[in-house]
Amino acid sequence: MSELVLKDLEIRYGKVTALDRLNLSIKDGELVTLLGPSGCGKTTTLRAVSGFLAPQGGDIFIGGRRITDIPPEKRGIGLVFQNYALWPHMTVFKNLAFGLEMRKIPAEEIKRRVAAVLASVQLSEYADRLPRQLSGGQQQRIALARAIVLEPDILLLDEPLSNLDALLREQMRFEIAAIHDRLGITTMYVTHDQTEAMVISDRIVIMRKGLVMQDGPPEEIYRRPANKFVAGFMGTTSFVPGAVVGVEGERCEIETAEGLRLVGLGSGLKLGDRACAAVRPEAVLLGKRGAEEPEGRGANRFEAVVQRSNFTGELVDYQLKVGSCFLRAKEPETRKVHGCGERVELRISAERLPIVADADAEPRAV
Amino acid sequence: MRSVLKKSGELALLVVVFLAVVGPMASLVIWSVAQKWYWPNLLPQEISFDYWRQALGLQTSMAIGAVSIVSAFLLSLGIALATVVASMAISIPAGYALAKYKIPFGTAIMFLFLLPNAFPQQPVFVNILRIFTKAGLAGTIPGVMLIHILVGLVFGVWITSATFRAIPPSLEEAARSVGASAFVAFYRIALPLAAPGLLSSAVFVFLTSLDEFTGTFFVGLPFVNTLPLTLYSSSGYNLQFASVIALILLVPSVVFMLLIQKVLKAEYVGGMG
């Protein structure tokens, strides 16, 4: 068992608190992503776990063993860096063999293990190349291979895809997820890219200013954001502010200053609270006025005017005006395309409309 | 037509550069073998290798004003090599520490190494001579070496720390993460990657020591007589002998420059970018 547990981890740089009593546990074999904007403490957390940063308070456990004071080389952690950090003066083979040599593993076994790992990242024929003779994507795979050839208890990846171009990045996401599924190494993945986090993770931990804002599976984070910060971070979101006028279980209704009423899902809200409806472009459906309602009871229906309509290929991107507020909508190009200035009716299913408190991202203790 | 003009322009430039580089050296070569050379002759009337033979200790004639410089050359070479070893022994750890760790007053320490070269040298060395005389170091080889280390350390520490700073910290961290101790990570990763920079810093120290005059003049004379001192003392009255010494002093510089060029072209340096 190699469960990773962070307990009340506290790190300060001078007077700046980078991590404020962080509690986090990653189950054996789980892939957890730390997601957040730069400066949120995600990289700090990773460096503390890898042992290059000493925490001022709290503890780190791997499989129940306290490793807070153990030097990095004795933690049994595999690391993949943003800039790959392959050793430029060593061939691919030597890069992979280095860690095995450190463990005094016999040369024959080193050869066998390096060959096996190279095969698993489909780079067997590159063993004698120098890193700079490889493309970015290949270097990335070698960096990953170097970390997993040692069969570490924990794998840490620090924005491993951010130096790759968009197409390769998408492909590598699936590859990393596949390698993780095959090996089942407990993995902590750091990124600021929410799509990457959604694709790859068993669980996402959203951080901001050293605090955990939400911790949950990708779908839950997306569908039920715990606060305005999380709602805003997961994709393009338009916020419609108002006051809570009705609460019924999870259902929550708000009314804007102009008297517009929106029904959505929210929790922890009371009548009279300031709240926001987080409108996601992909949750908005457009139709002719008075057309039949496909969403059933509880769908929000508004009249809107198309301000802009951009054809982007697979999607049409609209900017809509409802009363005095602007909303974005994205519809597949297979649906009817509405032109600029057209009056439309927009519908948002209550199930797909999160309502969050309109505070400046009240930190939620987890 | 245009291209002809361009080509001839390039050719003219090439000739000028060639003359600027080779001209002074050619003059040294001619002077070093000029036995008799009086105005208005363009070239020496009489050529001989007497000054070379005399300088290299192959003949000892009292007829021409030149002495064997073999011992001075060996002394200079020995001091320079020892200076390099001592300077690098200080520079590598100091440069590494200054590059990789947050050291209190790190910048101030860097400037401290620059200090001996930041002031006019004469007053500095006169003061050092007073101290060295008290310490019994004046007129001794260790005394001269200390001076050379002092002057050379600025190249040593500055170039070395810049070299180590250019190596991304993640390279050593990657080594730590796969089980290397801090020392092994330094020895197996940082040191080989820094080798070209360390070598050029060593060459700078070597050449600085080989050419050092002012400090050696104050601290070394009359007992420690290095090649530059011999050169300066003969240059006033004996241009032939001075030319021979100047050419001999050039040899190590050229050898080391070729060596650096070869090493800097080595394959793995390209991967550092």
Side-chain angles (χ1 to χ4, degrees), chain A residues 39-324:
Chain A
C40 73
K42 57 190 194 295
T43 299
T44 301
T45 309
L46 182 131
R47 291 184 64 78
V49 174
S50 57
F52 296 115
L53 200 60
Q56 274 91 14
D59 276 309
I60 304 166
F61 300 90
I62 293 178
R65 184 171 72 114
R66 183 175 172 277
I67 58 153
T68 320
D69 306 316
I70 291 179
E73 63 267 26
K74 293 190 177 126
R75 293 194 176 194
I77 285 175
L79 256 174
V80 178
F81 294 84
Q82 182 173 2
N83 63 358
Y84 320 135
L86 296 174
W87 302 305
H89 59 306
M90 295 185 190
T91 61
V92 165
F93 177 85
K94 287 197 169 145
N95 265 278
L96 299 194
F98 186 82
L100 297 165
E101 282 170 27
M102 291 292 126
R103 299 194 180 177
K104 308 260 189 294
I105 287 168
E108 276 310 305
E109 199 191 330
I110 291 181
K111 266 190 198 153
R112 196 177 50 71
R113 280 174 71 172
V114 170
V117 169
L118 274 179
S120 78
V121 293
Q122 290 128 47
L123 288 171
S124 294
E125 62 272 40
Y126 295 93
D128 298 323
R129 300 271 186 99
L130 287 169
R132 67 186 166 83
Q133 295 167 312
L134 304 178
S135 70
Q138 289 168 334
Q139 290 188 36
Q140 220 308 308
R141 301 223 290 272
I142 295 300
L144 188 61
R146 182 178 64 185
I148 61 179
V149 75
L150 293 167
E151 293 162 8
D153 298 330
I154 307 280
L155 186 60
L156 305 179
L157 299 107
D158 186 8
E159 309 233 3
L161 304 183
S162 59
N163 284 359
L164 300 177
D165 61 64
L167 209 65
L168 201 55
R169 193 154 60 214
E170 197 164 83
Q171 185 191 333
M172 283 300 294
R173 277 174 202 158
F174 291 109
E175 235 171 280
I176 289 179
I179 287 174
H180 174 257
D181 288 346
R182 200 171 64 237
L183 301 175
I185 304 177
T186 310
T187 304
M188 182 192 269
Y189 191 103
V190 163
T191 184
H192 63 265
D193 182 328
Q194 39 104 6
T195 323
E196 200 171 299
M198 296 293 273
V199 170
I200 220 165
S201 321
D202 295 323
R203 223 173 81 215
I204 296 177
V205 175
I206 299 207
M207 295 181 71
R208 185 195 187 209
K209 292 182 181 167
L211 292 165
V212 172
M213 303 305 285
Q214 192 170 358
D215 177 348
E219 207 177 317
E220 185 188 305
I221 299 257
Y222 179 79
R223 292 197 189 285
R224 307 296 309 273
N227 50 49
K228 195 176 172 186
F229 175 78
V230 174
F233 199 74
M234 302 306 288
T236 21
T237 307
S238 319
F239 289 104
V240 181
V244 178
V245 292
V247 181
E248 183 195 333
E250 290 209 305
R251 274 174 114 77
C252 187
E253 187 168 15
I254 64 164
E255 189 178 297
T256 68
E258 299 176 308
L260 216 61
R261 283 183 170 229
L262 292 106
V263 182
L265 298 181
S267 56
L269 292 166
K270 303 186 302 292
L271 282 178
D273 279 355
R274 310 269 330 144
C276 273
V279 183
R280 297 236 164 77
E282 56 273 26
V284 178
L285 291 170
L286 301 185
K288 274 264 186 282
R289 278 195 291 168
E292 216 155 279
E293 187 172 329
E295 296 292 320
R297 196 186 76 88
N300 301 286
R301 303 166 67 130
F302 307 104
E303 273 197 20
V305 181
V306 177
Q307 298 280 306
R308 277 182 80 91
S309 147
N310 293 318
F311 185 78
T312 64
E314 52 185 327
L315 292 170
V316 185
D317 190 345
Y318 295 103
Q319 202 177 73
L320 307 161
K321 196 174 176 195
V322 182
S324 66

Side-chain angles (χ1 to χ4, degrees), chain A residues 306-364:
Chain A
V306 177
Q307 298 280 306
R308 277 182 80 91
S309 147
N310 293 318
F311 185 78
T312 64
E314 52 185 327
L315 292 170
V316 185
D317 190 345
Y318 295 103
Q319 202 177 73
L320 307 161
K321 196 174 176 195
V322 182
S324 66
C325 68
F326 290 92
L327 296 178
R328 291 271 298 278
K330 273 181 190 163
E331 290 215 307
E333 52 90 24
T334 48
R335 288 183 63 108
K336 183 186 182 306
V337 177
H338 301 276
C340 200
E342 207 172 311
R343 286 190 158 279
V344 291
E345 184 180 69
L346 65 84
R347 306 190 200 92
I348 308 165
S349 156
E351 305 295 322
R352 302 187 67 192
L353 184 65
I355 308 267
V356 290
D358 190 15
D360 177 37
E362 201 74 45
R364 199 190 86 175

